[in-house]
Amino acid sequence: MTVISLHRLGLTQCIWRLFERLAADGLQAGGEAYSNFLFVCGQNNDHQHELDVLEQMAKTAHTRGLQGGTWNSFVIKALQVGDVGRARKGLQIIDDEKLNTPMAEHLRQRAGAPPAKNPIGMIEWRRREKDEHEWVTNAQGFSLRLNKIEYYKEVGTMHYILGHGAQNDLPSIHRAIESFTREQELWLKLAGDEKGAVLDEVIKMQDKPRLVVEVGLYVGYSSTRMASQMKAWGGKVISMEVDPFHAVIARNTIEWAGLSDYVEIWCGHSENLIPRLRERLPEKSIDILFFDQQGTKMHTDLEAIRSLNLLSDKCCVVGDNVLRPGSPQFMYWTCAGGPWETQIVSLKEYKQEVVEDWMSISFYQPDSPKVGLPMVIPVSVEQLAHDTDGIRWQSVESKVSEDQWDSHSQRMRKEFWKAGIRPHEVVPTLDEHGRSRVALKPKGTNLLPAG
């Protein structure tokens, strides 16, 4: 929070003196600090300091796979801002450190850089066995979750994308990601399979949306799925991501898919980034708002964006994982308390065939008598949100079994009903090719609640 506090005080020079001291000492600043540094860069359109931060992230990453992916992201960004010199410098470091991959070769061609001296390989990655410890102690004596140091699931995803996904072939890239989860038996927070079909249907229903704002980029699966369709009419996606290493890995996915011109990445916390939307977008410009972040923050982010008059008249708001782990306040406001028309798609969480989850689809109702009412969330719903965060953090700090998740989802459904959260339900079907299809109700339909 030191960086954000300095930013709010207008002490930008102090921020970069702090960063320069960290870099001079060769220190790894940590994900939260890097996220805040990148937020300040984005806020000020400070491309050179953004490249400095990415360079420091690459130098101090804990594994060679994460280093390689971060250096790739550094070069991609340098090319985007027209700094070919720094792009070539990054490519030289990639070669010197023997981090050459098919992505680096693609970027070498874009930058007009000399051929690599060292062989081309793959993003280095090792699948950790289940009996290996997930926690380690760093040099300062703090216990840290191993995945947040190595990002081994996300680096593994990048390994599969570059090894199995054909360049500029999004279906092939998405199959590579799905193969990774299946073959390595690792769960990823993806809008894949049935959830991807929901996004496809929303894009179709919105009739050539011009702008999607996504909160929660992760590895770039959903952003590329939407952008690949929207590029035909010049649409784009702005995606917010709080984790800077997720952002750099997603940048690899997006570039390999050939969609860097159609997906804009904003790094930082959503509550800090939302005011930037108002600064840079015209009123009523967001056609789809996709929430894929912590569920108990969705309602405040929704109302913050709506209050800025940024939602178009046809805007559709999509919420992921609103049943499991859950978004009680968001669901109460869009289903019972506020001026919204909502339906949900009942489906199974990706790669977990037992556990039910929901995606919500909501339309703003400007003629509703609830327009202008303050957001008031019942105490019982706030308590449910507290419990939701409890199991979410339990899943971060230890394993939550599929039976526990199933029990949680069933309880959430029952508690939602008690609170008056009774949206119309849609169930996906399969077409003749075995692909998921979702038939959503258009805006203005007289939706019947769950029975």
Side-chain angles (χ1 to χ4, degrees), residues 179-256:
S179 294
F180 170 75
T181 64
R182 181 175 61 254
E183 294 173 11
Q184 301 301 328
E185 298 180 340
L186 287 170
W187 180 83
L188 293 173
K189 191 178 186 301
L190 300 175
D193 206 31
E194 293 178 334
K195 293 189 175 186
V198 175
L199 293 179
D200 293 345
E201 182 65 16
V202 168
I203 293 284
K204 178 182 176 182
M205 186 170 60
Q206 289 299 85
D207 189 25
K208 298 183 178 180
R210 302 292 299 182
L211 176 63
V212 173
V213 171
E214 175 185 48
V215 184
L217 171 63
Y218 195 41
V219 297
Y221 186 102
S222 56
S223 62
T224 53
R225 185 157 188 156
M226 293 185 288
S228 67
Q229 300 171 66
M230 295 170 63
K231 71 176 184 178
W233 53 83
K236 75 171 186 177
V237 177
I238 294 174
S239 189
M240 303 178 184
E241 175 55 54
V242 66
D243 190 305
F245 287 105
H246 289 169
V248 300
I249 289 169
R251 200 182 295 278
N252 281 261
T253 306
I254 294 163
E255 176 69 19
W256 198 240

Coordinates of all heavy atoms in Angstrom, one line a residue, residues 179-256:
S179 N -6.0 -29.4 -22.4 CA -5.2 -30.6 -22.3 C -4.3 -30.6 -21.1 O -4.1 -31.6 -20.4 CB -4.3 -30.8 -23.5 OG -5.1 -31.0 -24.7
F180 N -3.8 -29.4 -20.8 CA -2.9 -29.2 -19.6 C -3.7 -29.6 -18.3 O -3.2 -30.4 -17.5 CB -2.4 -27.8 -19.5 CG -1.7 -27.5 -18.2 CD1 -0.5 -27.9 -17.9 CD2 -2.4 -26.7 -17.2 CE1 0.2 -27.7 -16.7 CE2 -1.8 -26.4 -16.0 CZ -0.5 -26.9 -15.8
T181 N -4.9 -29.1 -18.2 CA -5.7 -29.3 -17.0 C -6.0 -30.8 -16.9 O -6.0 -31.4 -15.8 CB -7.0 -28.5 -16.9 OG1 -7.8 -28.9 -18.0 CG2 -6.7 -27.0 -17.0
R182 N -6.3 -31.4 -18.0 CA -6.7 -32.8 -18.0 C -5.5 -33.8 -17.8 O -5.6 -34.6 -16.9 CB -7.3 -33.2 -19.4 CG -7.8 -34.6 -19.5 CD -8.5 -34.8 -20.8 NE -7.7 -34.6 -22.0 CZ -7.8 -33.5 -22.8 NH1 -8.7 -32.6 -22.5 NH2 -7.0 -33.4 -23.8
E183 N -4.4 -33.5 -18.5 CA -3.3 -34.4 -18.4 C -2.5 -34.3 -17.1 O -2.0 -35.3 -16.5 CB -2.3 -34.2 -19.5 CG -2.9 -34.6 -20.9 CD -2.0 -34.2 -22.1 OE1 -0.9 -33.8 -21.8 OE2 -2.5 -34.3 -23.2
Q184 N -2.5 -33.1 -16.5 CA -1.7 -32.8 -15.3 C -2.6 -32.9 -14.1 O -2.1 -32.7 -13.0 CB -1.0 -31.5 -15.4 CG 0.0 -31.3 -16.6 CD 1.1 -32.4 -16.5 OE1 1.5 -32.8 -15.4 NE2 1.5 -32.8 -17.7
E185 N -3.9 -33.0 -14.3 CA -4.9 -33.1 -13.2 C -4.8 -31.9 -12.2 O -4.7 -32.0 -11.0 CB -4.7 -34.4 -12.4 CG -4.9 -35.7 -13.2 CD -4.7 -36.9 -12.4 OE1 -4.1 -36.9 -11.4 OE2 -5.3 -38.0 -12.8
L186 N -4.7 -30.7 -12.9 CA -4.6 -29.5 -12.1 C -5.8 -28.6 -12.5 O -6.1 -28.4 -13.7 CB -3.3 -28.8 -12.4 CG -2.0 -29.4 -11.9 CD1 -0.8 -28.7 -12.5 CD2 -2.0 -29.2 -10.3
W187 N -6.4 -28.1 -11.5 CA -7.6 -27.2 -11.7 C -7.1 -25.8 -12.0 O -6.2 -25.2 -11.3 CB -8.5 -27.2 -10.5 CG -9.7 -26.3 -10.6 CD1 -10.9 -26.6 -11.2 CD2 -9.8 -24.9 -10.2 NE1 -11.7 -25.5 -11.2 CE2 -11.1 -24.5 -10.5 CE3 -9.0 -24.1 -9.5 CZ2 -11.6 -23.2 -10.2 CZ3 -9.5 -22.8 -9.2 CH2 -10.8 -22.4 -9.6
L188 N -7.7 -25.2 -13.0 CA -7.4 -23.8 -13.4 C -8.7 -23.0 -13.4 O -9.7 -23.6 -13.8 CB -6.7 -23.6 -14.7 CG -5.3 -24.2 -14.9 CD1 -4.9 -24.1 -16.4 CD2 -4.3 -23.4 -14.0
K189 N -8.7 -21.8 -13.0 CA -9.9 -20.9 -12.9 C -10.1 -20.4 -14.3 O -9.7 -19.3 -14.7 CB -9.8 -19.8 -11.9 CG -11.1 -19.1 -11.6 CD -10.9 -18.0 -10.6 CE -12.2 -17.4 -10.2 NZ -12.9 -16.8 -11.4
L190 N -10.8 -21.2 -15.1 CA -11.0 -20.9 -16.5 C -12.5 -20.8 -16.8 O -13.3 -21.5 -16.3 CB -10.5 -21.9 -17.5 CG -9.0 -22.2 -17.4 CD1 -8.6 -23.4 -18.3 CD2 -8.2 -21.0 -17.8
A191 N -12.8 -19.9 -17.8 CA -14.2 -19.9 -18.4 C -14.2 -20.8 -19.6 O -14.4 -20.4 -20.7 CB -14.6 -18.5 -18.8
G192 N -13.9 -22.1 -19.3 CA -13.8 -23.1 -20.4 C -15.1 -23.9 -20.5 O -16.0 -23.8 -19.7
D193 N -15.1 -24.7 -21.5 CA -16.2 -25.7 -21.7 C -17.5 -25.0 -21.7 O -17.8 -24.1 -22.6 CB -16.1 -26.7 -20.6 CG -16.7 -28.1 -21.1 OD1 -16.6 -28.4 -22.3 OD2 -17.2 -28.8 -20.2
E194 N -18.4 -25.4 -20.8 CA -19.8 -24.8 -20.8 C -19.7 -23.3 -20.6 O -20.5 -22.5 -21.1 CB -20.6 -25.4 -19.7 CG -20.9 -26.9 -20.0 CD -21.7 -27.5 -18.8 OE1 -21.6 -27.1 -17.7 OE2 -22.4 -28.5 -19.1
K195 N -18.8 -22.8 -19.7 CA -18.7 -21.4 -19.4 C -18.3 -20.6 -20.7 O -18.8 -19.5 -20.9 CB -17.8 -21.1 -18.3 CG -18.3 -21.7 -16.9 CD -17.4 -21.2 -15.8 CE -18.0 -21.7 -14.5 NZ -17.3 -21.2 -13.3
G196 N -17.4 -21.2 -21.5 CA -17.1 -20.5 -22.7 C -18.3 -20.4 -23.6 O -18.4 -19.4 -24.4
A197 N -19.1 -21.4 -23.6 CA -20.4 -21.4 -24.5 C -21.3 -20.2 -24.0 O -21.9 -19.6 -24.8 CB -21.1 -22.7 -24.4
V198 N -21.3 -19.9 -22.7 CA -22.1 -18.8 -22.2 C -21.5 -17.5 -22.8 O -22.3 -16.6 -23.3 CB -22.1 -18.8 -20.7 CG1 -22.8 -17.5 -20.2 CG2 -22.7 -20.0 -20.1
L199 N -20.2 -17.3 -22.7 CA -19.6 -16.1 -23.3 C -19.9 -16.0 -24.8 O -20.2 -14.9 -25.3 CB -18.1 -16.1 -23.0 CG -17.7 -16.0 -21.5 CD1 -16.1 -16.0 -21.4 CD2 -18.2 -14.7 -20.9
D200 N -19.8 -17.1 -25.5 CA -20.1 -17.1 -26.9 C -21.5 -16.6 -27.2 O -21.8 -15.8 -28.1 CB -19.9 -18.5 -27.5 CG -18.5 -18.9 -27.5 OD1 -17.6 -18.1 -27.3 OD2 -18.2 -20.1 -27.7
E201 N -22.5 -17.1 -26.4 CA -23.9 -16.7 -26.6 C -24.1 -15.2 -26.2 O -24.9 -14.6 -26.9 CB -24.8 -17.6 -25.7 CG -26.2 -17.4 -25.8 CD -26.8 -17.7 -27.2 OE1 -26.1 -18.4 -28.0 OE2 -27.9 -17.2 -27.6
V202 N -23.4 -14.7 -25.2 CA -23.5 -13.3 -24.8 C -23.0 -12.4 -25.9 O -23.7 -11.4 -26.3 CB -22.8 -13.1 -23.5 CG1 -22.7 -11.6 -23.2 CG2 -23.5 -13.7 -22.3
I203 N -21.9 -12.8 -26.5 CA -21.3 -12.0 -27.6 C -22.3 -12.0 -28.8 O -22.6 -10.9 -29.4 CB -20.0 -12.7 -28.1 CG1 -18.9 -12.5 -27.0 CG2 -19.6 -12.0 -29.4 CD1 -18.3 -11.2 -26.9
K204 N -22.9 -13.1 -29.1 CA -23.9 -13.2 -30.2 C -25.1 -12.4 -29.9 O -25.6 -11.7 -30.7 CB -24.3 -14.7 -30.4 CG -25.3 -14.9 -31.5 CD -25.6 -16.4 -31.6 CE -26.7 -16.7 -32.6 NZ -27.1 -18.1 -32.7
M205 N -25.6 -12.5 -28.6 CA -26.9 -11.8 -28.2 C -26.7 -10.3 -28.2 O -27.6 -9.6 -28.5 CB -27.3 -12.3 -26.8 CG -28.6 -11.8 -26.3 SD -29.1 -12.7 -24.8 CE -27.8 -12.3 -23.7
Q206 N -25.5 -9.9 -28.0 CA -25.2 -8.4 -27.9 C -25.0 -7.8 -29.3 O -24.9 -6.6 -29.4 CB -24.0 -8.1 -27.0 CG -24.3 -8.4 -25.5 CD -25.4 -7.5 -25.0 OE1 -26.5 -7.8 -25.1 NE2 -25.0 -6.4 -24.4
D207 N -25.0 -8.6 -30.3 CA -24.9 -8.1 -31.7 C -23.8 -7.1 -31.9 O -23.9 -5.9 -31.9 CB -26.3 -7.4 -32.1 CG -26.3 -7.0 -33.5 OD1 -25.6 -7.7 -34.3 OD2 -27.1 -6.1 -33.9
K208 N -22.6 -7.7 -32.0 CA -21.4 -7.0 -32.3 C -21.0 -5.9 -31.2 O -20.9 -4.7 -31.5 CB -21.4 -6.3 -33.7 CG -21.6 -7.3 -34.9 CD -21.6 -6.6 -36.2 CE -21.7 -7.6 -37.3 NZ -21.7 -7.0 -38.7
P209 N -20.8 -6.4 -30.0 CA -20.4 -5.5 -29.0 C -19.0 -4.8 -29.3 O -18.1 -5.5 -29.9 CB -20.3 -6.4 -27.7 CG -20.0 -7.7 -28.3 CD -20.8 -7.8 -29.6
R210 N -18.9 -3.5 -29.0 CA -17.7 -2.8 -29.3 C -16.6 -2.9 -28.2 O -15.4 -2.9 -28.5 CB -18.0 -1.3 -29.5 CG -19.0 -1.1 -30.7 CD -18.5 -1.4 -32.0 NE -17.3 -0.7 -32.4 CZ -16.6 -0.7 -33.5 NH1 -17.0 -1.6 -34.4 NH2 -15.6 0.0 -33.8
L211 N -17.1 -3.0 -26.9 CA -16.2 -3.0 -25.8 C -16.6 -4.0 -24.7 O -17.8 -3.9 -24.3 CB -16.0 -1.6 -25.2 CG -15.1 -1.5 -24.0 CD1 -13.7 -1.9 -24.3 CD2 -15.1 -0.1 -23.4
V212 N -15.7 -4.8 -24.3 CA -15.9 -5.7 -23.1 C -14.9 -5.2 -22.1 O -13.7 -5.0 -22.4 CB -15.6 -7.2 -23.4 CG1 -15.7 -8.0 -22.2 CG2 -16.7 -7.7 -24.4
V213 N -15.4 -5.1 -20.9 CA -14.5 -4.8 -19.7 C -14.5 -6.1 -18.9 O -15.6 -6.5 -18.4 CB -14.8 -3.6 -18.9 CG1 -14.0 -3.5 -17.6 CG2 -14.6 -2.3 -19.7
E214 N -13.4 -6.7 -18.7 CA -13.2 -7.9 -17.9 C -12.5 -7.6 -16.6 O -11.4 -7.0 -16.7 CB -12.5 -9.0 -18.7 CG -12.2 -10.3 -18.0 CD -11.4 -11.3 -18.8 OE1 -10.3 -10.8 -19.4 OE2 -11.7 -12.4 -18.9
V215 N -13.0 -8.1 -15.5 CA -12.3 -8.0 -14.2 C -11.8 -9.4 -13.8 O -12.6 -10.2 -13.3 CB -13.2 -7.3 -13.2 CG1 -12.3 -7.1 -11.9 CG2 -13.8 -6.0 -13.6
G216 N -10.5 -9.6 -14.0 CA -10.0 -11.0 -13.7 C -9.5 -11.6 -15.0 O -10.2 -12.4 -15.7
L217 N -8.3 -11.3 -15.4 CA -7.7 -11.8 -16.7 C -7.2 -13.3 -16.6 O -7.4 -14.1 -17.5 CB -6.5 -10.9 -17.1 CG -5.7 -11.3 -18.2 CD1 -6.5 -11.4 -19.5 CD2 -4.5 -10.3 -18.4
Y218 N -6.5 -13.6 -15.5 CA -5.8 -14.8 -15.2 C -4.9 -15.2 -16.4 O -4.0 -14.4 -16.7 CB -6.8 -16.0 -15.0 CG -6.2 -17.2 -14.3 CD1 -5.2 -17.1 -13.4 CD2 -6.6 -18.5 -14.7 CE1 -4.6 -18.2 -12.8 CE2 -6.0 -19.6 -14.2 CZ -5.0 -19.5 -13.2 OH -4.4 -20.5 -12.7
V219 N -5.0 -16.3 -17.1 CA -4.0 -16.7 -18.1 C -4.5 -16.2 -19.5 O -3.9 -16.6 -20.5 CB -3.7 -18.2 -18.1 CG1 -3.0 -18.5 -16.8 CG2 -4.9 -19.0 -18.3
G220 N -5.6 -15.5 -19.6 CA -6.1 -15.0 -20.9 C -7.0 -15.9 -21.7 O -7.3 -15.6 -22.9
Y221 N -7.6 -16.9 -21.1 CA -8.5 -17.8 -21.8 C -9.8 -17.1 -22.2 O -10.1 -17.1 -23.4 CB -8.9 -19.0 -20.9 CG -9.6 -20.1 -21.6 CD1 -9.0 -21.2 -22.0 CD2 -11.0 -20.0 -21.8 CE1 -9.7 -22.3 -22.6 CE2 -11.7 -20.9 -22.4 CZ -11.1 -22.1 -22.8 OH -11.8 -23.1 -23.4
S222 N -10.5 -16.4 -21.3 CA -11.8 -15.8 -21.7 C -11.6 -14.6 -22.5 O -12.3 -14.3 -23.4 CB -12.6 -15.5 -20.4 OG -11.8 -14.7 -19.5
S223 N -10.5 -13.8 -22.2 CA -10.3 -12.6 -23.0 C -10.0 -12.9 -24.5 O -10.5 -12.2 -25.4 CB -9.1 -11.7 -22.4 OG -7.9 -12.5 -22.4
T224 N -9.2 -13.9 -24.7 CA -8.9 -14.3 -26.1 C -10.1 -14.9 -26.8 O -10.4 -14.7 -28.0 CB -7.7 -15.3 -26.2 OG1 -8.0 -16.4 -25.3 CG2 -6.4 -14.6 -25.8
R225 N -10.9 -15.6 -26.0 CA -12.2 -16.2 -26.6 C -13.1 -15.1 -27.1 O -13.7 -15.2 -28.1 CB -12.9 -17.1 -25.6 CG -14.1 -17.8 -26.1 CD -14.4 -19.0 -25.3 NE -15.4 -19.8 -26.0 CZ -15.6 -21.1 -25.8 NH1 -14.8 -21.8 -25.0 NH2 -16.5 -21.8 -26.4
M226 N -13.2 -14.0 -26.3 CA -14.1 -12.9 -26.7 C -13.5 -12.1 -27.8 O -14.1 -11.7 -28.8 CB -14.5 -12.1 -25.4 CG -15.3 -12.8 -24.4 SD -15.9 -11.8 -23.0 CE -14.3 -11.6 -22.1
A227 N -12.2 -11.8 -27.6 CA -11.5 -10.9 -28.6 C -11.5 -11.5 -29.9 O -11.5 -10.8 -31.0 CB -10.2 -10.5 -28.1
S228 N -11.3 -12.8 -30.0 CA -11.2 -13.5 -31.3 C -12.4 -13.3 -32.2 O -12.4 -13.3 -33.4 CB -10.9 -15.0 -31.1 OG -12.0 -15.6 -30.5
Q229 N -13.6 -13.2 -31.5 CA -14.8 -13.0 -32.2 C -15.0 -11.5 -32.5 O -15.5 -11.1 -33.6 CB -16.0 -13.5 -31.4 CG -15.9 -15.0 -31.1 CD -17.0 -15.4 -30.1 OE1 -18.2 -15.4 -30.4 NE2 -16.6 -15.8 -28.9
M230 N -14.6 -10.6 -31.6 CA -14.9 -9.2 -31.7 C -14.0 -8.5 -32.7 O -14.3 -7.4 -33.2 CB -14.8 -8.5 -30.3 CG -15.8 -9.0 -29.3 SD -15.5 -8.4 -27.7 CE -15.6 -6.7 -27.9
K231 N -12.8 -9.1 -33.0 CA -11.9 -8.4 -33.9 C -12.5 -8.2 -35.3 O -12.1 -7.3 -36.0 CB -10.6 -9.1 -34.0 CG -10.6 -10.5 -34.7 CD -9.2 -11.1 -34.8 CE -9.3 -12.4 -35.6 NZ -7.9 -12.9 -35.8
A232 N -13.5 -9.1 -35.7 CA -14.1 -9.0 -37.0 C -14.8 -7.6 -37.2 O -14.9 -7.2 -38.4 CB -15.1 -10.1 -37.2
W233 N -15.2 -7.0 -36.2 CA -15.9 -5.7 -36.3 C -15.2 -4.6 -35.5 O -15.7 -3.5 -35.3 CB -17.4 -5.8 -35.9 CG -17.6 -6.3 -34.5 CD1 -17.5 -5.7 -33.3 CD2 -18.0 -7.7 -34.2 NE1 -17.8 -6.5 -32.3 CE2 -18.1 -7.8 -32.8 CE3 -18.2 -8.8 -34.9 CZ2 -18.4 -8.9 -32.1 CZ3 -18.5 -10.0 -34.3 CH2 -18.6 -10.1 -32.9
G234 N -13.9 -4.9 -35.2 CA -13.1 -3.8 -34.5 C -13.4 -3.7 -33.0 O -13.0 -2.6 -32.5
G235 N -14.0 -4.6 -32.4 CA -14.2 -4.6 -31.0 C -13.0 -4.9 -30.2 O -12.0 -5.4 -30.8
K236 N -12.9 -4.6 -28.9 CA -11.8 -4.9 -28.1 C -12.2 -5.2 -26.7 O -13.3 -5.0 -26.2 CB -10.8 -3.8 -28.1 CG -11.1 -2.6 -27.3 CD -10.0 -1.6 -27.2 CE -10.3 -0.4 -26.2 NZ -9.1 0.5 -26.1
V237 N -11.2 -5.8 -25.9 CA -11.4 -6.2 -24.5 C -10.4 -5.4 -23.7 O -9.2 -5.3 -24.0 CB -11.2 -7.7 -24.3 CG1 -11.3 -8.0 -22.8 CG2 -12.1 -8.5 -25.2
I238 N -10.9 -4.8 -22.6 CA -10.0 -4.2 -21.6 C -10.1 -5.2 -20.4 O -11.2 -5.4 -19.9 CB -10.4 -2.8 -21.1 CG1 -10.2 -1.8 -22.3 CG2 -9.6 -2.4 -19.9 CD1 -10.7 -0.4 -22.0
S239 N -9.0 -5.8 -20.0 CA -9.0 -6.7 -18.9 C -8.1 -6.3 -17.8 O -7.0 -5.9 -17.9 CB -8.5 -8.1 -19.4 OG -8.7 -9.1 -18.4
M240 N -8.7 -6.3 -16.6 CA -8.0 -5.9 -15.3 C -7.5 -7.1 -14.6 O -8.2 -8.1 -14.5 CB -9.0 -5.1 -14.4 CG -9.6 -3.9 -15.0 SD -10.8 -3.1 -13.9 CE -11.4 -1.8 -14.9
E241 N -6.3 -7.1 -14.1 CA -5.7 -8.2 -13.4 C -4.8 -7.7 -12.3 O -3.9 -6.9 -12.5 CB -4.9 -9.1 -14.4 CG -4.1 -10.2 -13.7 CD -5.0 -11.1 -12.9 OE1 -6.0 -11.6 -13.4 OE2 -4.7 -11.3 -11.7
V242 N -5.1 -8.2 -11.1 CA -4.3 -7.7 -9.9 C -3.0 -8.4 -9.8 O -2.0 -7.8 -9.3 CB -5.2 -7.9 -8.6 CG1 -5.4 -9.4 -8.3 CG2 -4.5 -7.2 -7.5
D243 N -2.9 -9.6 -10.2 CA -1.6 -10.4 -10.1 C -0.7 -10.1 -11.3 O -1.0 -10.4 -12.4 CB -1.9 -11.9 -10.0 CG -0.7 -12.6 -9.6 OD1 0.4 -12.5 -10.3 OD2 -0.7 -13.4 -8.6
P244 N 0.5 -9.5 -11.1 CA 1.3 -9.1 -12.2 C 1.9 -10.2 -13.0 O 2.1 -10.1 -14.2 CB 2.4 -8.2 -11.5 CG 2.5 -8.7 -10.1 CD 1.1 -9.1 -9.8
F245 N 2.1 -11.4 -12.3 CA 2.6 -12.5 -13.0 C 1.5 -13.2 -13.8 O 1.8 -13.8 -14.9 CB 3.3 -13.5 -12.0 CG 4.7 -13.0 -11.6 CD1 4.8 -12.4 -10.3 CD2 5.8 -12.9 -12.4 CE1 6.0 -11.9 -9.8 CE2 7.0 -12.4 -12.0 CZ 7.1 -11.9 -10.7
H246 N 0.3 -13.2 -13.3 CA -0.8 -13.7 -14.2 C -0.9 -12.8 -15.4 O -1.1 -13.3 -16.6 CB -2.1 -13.6 -13.5 CG -2.3 -14.6 -12.4 ND1 -3.3 -14.6 -11.5 CD2 -1.5 -15.7 -12.1 CE1 -3.2 -15.6 -10.6 NE2 -2.1 -16.3 -11.0
A247 N -0.7 -11.5 -15.3 CA -0.8 -10.6 -16.4 C 0.3 -10.9 -17.4 O 0.0 -10.8 -18.7 CB -0.7 -9.1 -15.9
V248 N 1.5 -11.1 -17.0 CA 2.6 -11.4 -18.0 C 2.4 -12.7 -18.7 O 2.7 -12.9 -19.9 CB 4.0 -11.3 -17.3 CG1 4.3 -9.9 -16.7 CG2 4.3 -12.4 -16.3
I249 N 1.9 -13.7 -18.0 CA 1.6 -15.0 -18.6 C 0.5 -14.9 -19.6 O 0.5 -15.4 -20.7 CB 1.3 -16.1 -17.6 CG1 2.6 -16.4 -16.8 CG2 0.7 -17.3 -18.2 CD1 2.4 -17.3 -15.6
A250 N -0.6 -14.1 -19.2 CA -1.7 -13.9 -20.2 C -1.2 -13.1 -21.4 O -1.7 -13.4 -22.5 CB -2.8 -13.1 -19.5
R251 N -0.2 -12.2 -21.2 CA 0.3 -11.5 -22.4 C 0.9 -12.4 -23.4 O 0.8 -12.2 -24.6 CB 1.3 -10.4 -22.0 CG 1.5 -9.3 -23.0 CD 2.5 -8.3 -22.5 NE 2.2 -7.5 -21.4 CZ 1.4 -6.5 -21.4 NH1 0.9 -6.1 -22.6 NH2 1.1 -5.8 -20.3
N252 N 1.5 -13.5 -22.9 CA 2.1 -14.5 -23.8 C 1.0 -15.2 -24.6 O 1.0 -15.4 -25.8 CB 2.9 -15.6 -23.0 CG 4.3 -15.1 -22.6 OD1 5.2 -15.5 -23.3 ND2 4.4 -14.3 -21.6
T253 N -0.1 -15.6 -23.8 CA -1.3 -16.2 -24.5 C -1.8 -15.4 -25.6 O -2.1 -15.8 -26.7 CB -2.3 -16.5 -23.4 OG1 -1.8 -17.3 -22.3 CG2 -3.5 -17.3 -24.0
I254 N -2.1 -14.1 -25.2 CA -2.7 -13.2 -26.2 C -1.9 -12.9 -27.4 O -2.3 -12.9 -28.5 CB -3.0 -11.8 -25.4 CG1 -4.1 -12.1 -24.3 CG2 -3.5 -10.8 -26.4 CD1 -4.1 -11.0 -23.3
E255 N -0.5 -12.8 -27.2 CA 0.4 -12.6 -28.3 C 0.4 -13.8 -29.2 O 0.4 -13.7 -30.5 CB 1.8 -12.2 -27.8 CG 2.8 -12.1 -28.9 CD 2.6 -10.8 -29.8 OE1 1.9 -9.9 -29.4 OE2 3.2 -10.8 -30.9
W256 N 0.5 -15.0 -28.6 CA 0.6 -16.2 -29.4 C -0.7 -16.4 -30.2 O -0.7 -17.0 -31.3 CB 0.8 -17.4 -28.5 CG 1.3 -18.6 -29.1 CD1 0.7 -19.9 -29.2 CD2 2.6 -18.8 -29.9 NE1 1.5 -20.8 -29.9 CE2 2.7 -20.1 -30.3 CE3 3.6 -17.9 -30.2 CZ2 3.7 -20.6 -31.0 CZ3 4.7 -18.4 -30.9 CH2 4.7 -19.7 -31.3

